[in-house]
Amino acid sequence: MSAPTPGYGTGILLVLGATLGWSLAGVFVRLLPGLDGWQINCWRGFWMSVFVLAYLVAVYGRHTLDKFREVPLPALIAVAGFFTAGSTLYVTSLTLADTATVSVIGALSPIFAGILSPWITHERPTLASWIAAFLALAGVGVIAWDGVTAGNVIGIVVSVLVPLSFAGQTVALRRYRAFDMVPAICVGGFVTFLLAGILGYVFGGHPGGGFQVSLEQMLLLALMGPLQLSIPLILYARGAKAVPAVTLSLVAMLDVVLNPLWSWIGVGEIPPESAFIGGAVIIGAVVISIFGDRWLTPRERSG
């Protein structure tokens, strides 16, 4: 039996918790300077899925396998596929661009989610959602412009593919919210482990492929997997049962503020001034996404 659907407020809190965990990605990547995106994503995905599988066993016991079978095949392919693509591109983008730029470009995900939602989830974004999404896009422009003027075009192109994948995963979670989609996320992690490991040999030039890491690095990755992926994804999947796709993506954008902050505190990577300006704009967009409908509805009724 699936867990009961949380209320809207609880769903928002779950997504906020997920964002807090995701925002630690920059710190972990900076603490693993000897590894490329293939190696990081390989073992991060592995330990993420190991933890998620342990969670499922703890919750469902001997019915765990049944929960995997209950997930419709299209849902399993979509969620696992978008996770594999998004996580691989995200870690790779962090090796090509600074944390602030990567995080803010991720703010494009609400735009993509808004475009996809009417077709996939049959949810039409509200006026407040669109205002928030385009306000966030303005924040993206403030920070991403520094990356363009710095000549880091490749890093930005790769980074743009991240929110597209994230939006796809978000609308898939909403489309199949009647099911527990955590098993699909678990599958995605193991697929990522194998794919990144093999591609690390083909493109990374490592004798051991993406599987090649030291014991010290493995310990950090074993911490990164659950803390930065497993727990946040479990929270996000639960929040997706109660929160519309565009709002999900917008709330998750607080990663834009937190990610550079942790990197600044943890490894001394000072964000550019544009990160603070764009971040402030995005915080405003998130507030509008959460409370905007309540502010606008009375005006519409009184008009």
Side-chain angles (χ1 to χ4, degrees):
M1 179 180 297
S2 299
T5 300
Y8 179 77
T10 300
I12 292 292
L13 291 176
L14 289 170
V15 180
L16 287 172
T19 305
L20 180 61
W22 284 330
S23 68
L24 298 174
V27 174
F28 277 108
V29 170
R30 297 308 186 246
L31 290 174
L32 295 163
L35 300 183
D36 62 18
W38 303 115
Q39 294 166 305
I40 293 174
N41 213 38
C42 173
W43 289 105
R44 184 182 74 149
F46 174 81
W47 290 113
M48 182 275 287
S49 285
V50 168
F51 184 92
V52 168
L53 184 59
Y55 161 81
L56 290 170
V57 171
V59 172
Y60 297 114
R62 60 189 180 88
H63 299 293
T64 300
L65 187 58
D66 293 334
K67 304 308 294 185
F68 280 86
R69 292 170 176 165
E70 287 177 8
V71 179
L73 184 58
L76 184 67
I77 293 174
V79 172
F82 281 124
F83 170 81
T84 299
S87 59
T88 300
L89 290 167
Y90 181 59
V91 175
T92 302
S93 67
L94 284 172
T95 65
L96 298 173
D98 64 87
T99 303
T101 299
V102 172
S103 298
V104 177
I105 289 178
L108 287 168
S109 61
I111 304 295
F112 294 135
I115 295 172
L116 294 173
S117 289
W119 304 97
I120 299 177
T121 68
H122 306 296
E123 295 172 330
R124 294 191 175 277
T126 63
L127 176 60
S129 294
W130 281 119
I131 291 174
F134 282 100
L135 182 60
L137 185 59
V140 170
V142 171
I143 301 180
W145 179 251
D146 282 347
V148 173
T149 56
N152 191 13
V153 178
I154 295 178
I156 289 179
V157 170
V158 173
S159 299
V160 168
L161 296 176
V162 177
L164 181 59
S165 299
F166 184 72
Q169 177 177 281
T170 298
V171 296
L173 288 172
R174 280 296 289 169
R175 171 66 177 81
Y176 296 101
R177 59 187 177 275
F179 302 90
D180 186 347
M181 297 303 296
V182 175
I185 294 172
C186 183
V187 172
F190 283 126
V191 171
T192 300
F193 166 66
L194 294 173
L195 184 63
I198 295 171
L199 292 179
Y201 174 78
V202 177
F203 298 106
H206 306 294
F211 305 107
Q212 181 180 332
V213 299
S214 68
L215 177 59
E216 180 181 356
Q217 292 166 335
M218 180 68 77
L219 292 176
L220 274 174
L221 290 165
L223 178 63
M224 183 183 188
L227 187 61
Q228 193 267 321
L229 269 188
S230 303
I231 297 174
L233 283 168
I234 291 171
L235 295 176
Y236 194 71
R238 289 277 291 135
K241 292 179 176 295
V243 181
V246 175
T247 304
L248 277 170
S249 299
L250 282 163
V251 175
M253 279 168 40
L254 286 176
D255 167 78
V256 171
V257 179
L258 295 174
N259 205 327
L261 176 63
W262 302 144
S263 293
W264 186 10
I265 294 174
V267 295
E269 181 181 301
I270 302 176
E273 182 181 354
S274 58
F276 293 99
I277 298 173
V281 174
I282 290 168
I283 290 176
V286 173
V287 172
I288 291 175
S289 73
I290 297 174
F291 302 106
D293 288 332
R294 297 180 182 179
W295 297 338
L296 294 177
T297 300
R299 296 181 184 180
E300 293 174 354
R301 289 177 178 175
S302 61

